């Protein structure tokens, strides 16, 4: 884990996301399924974002700042 002290917060946020139906949670690693089912991409710059662009899907990059 990169930030082990934040693991509890991650688990809590993930459970809240899933339990409150705030979106689609997919931890399968199947990128083709994710691209075919999603209307757009929201997240970090990277390979997945590029694949969404190539598929002609809208891409939105998050702008965040981590502070401790």
């Amino acid at each position: 884990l990169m930030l082990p002290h934040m693991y509890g917060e991650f688990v809590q946020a993930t459970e809240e996301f899933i339990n409150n139906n705030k979106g689609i949670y997919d931890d399968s690693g199947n990128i083709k399924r994710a691209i075919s089912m999603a209307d757009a991409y929201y997240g970090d710059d990277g390979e997945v974002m590029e694949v969404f662009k190539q598929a002609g899907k809208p891409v939105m990059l998050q702008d965040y700042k981590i502070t401790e």
Side-chain angles (χ1 to χ4, degrees), residues 26-64:
D26 179 12
D27 63 356
S28 70
N30 185 340
I31 188 68
K32 290 180 181 179
R33 180 173 69 180
I35 293 168
S36 68
M37 294 186 73
D39 295 323
Y41 174 83
Y42 174 77
D44 298 329
D45 186 9
E47 286 182 47
V48 176
M49 179 201 72
E50 291 300 328
V51 177
F52 268 83
K53 278 183 175 180
Q54 291 172 5
K57 304 254 181 159
V59 169
M60 296 160 280
L61 293 177
Q62 66 180 345
D63 182 17
Y64 64 88

Side-chain angles (χ1 to χ4, degrees), residues 10-26:
F10 170 77
V11 170
Q12 182 179 359
T14 302
E15 289 174 354
E16 182 181 328
F17 183 87
I18 293 168
N19 294 334
N20 293 318
N21 296 316
K22 291 186 175 184
I24 299 169
Y25 181 77
D26 179 12

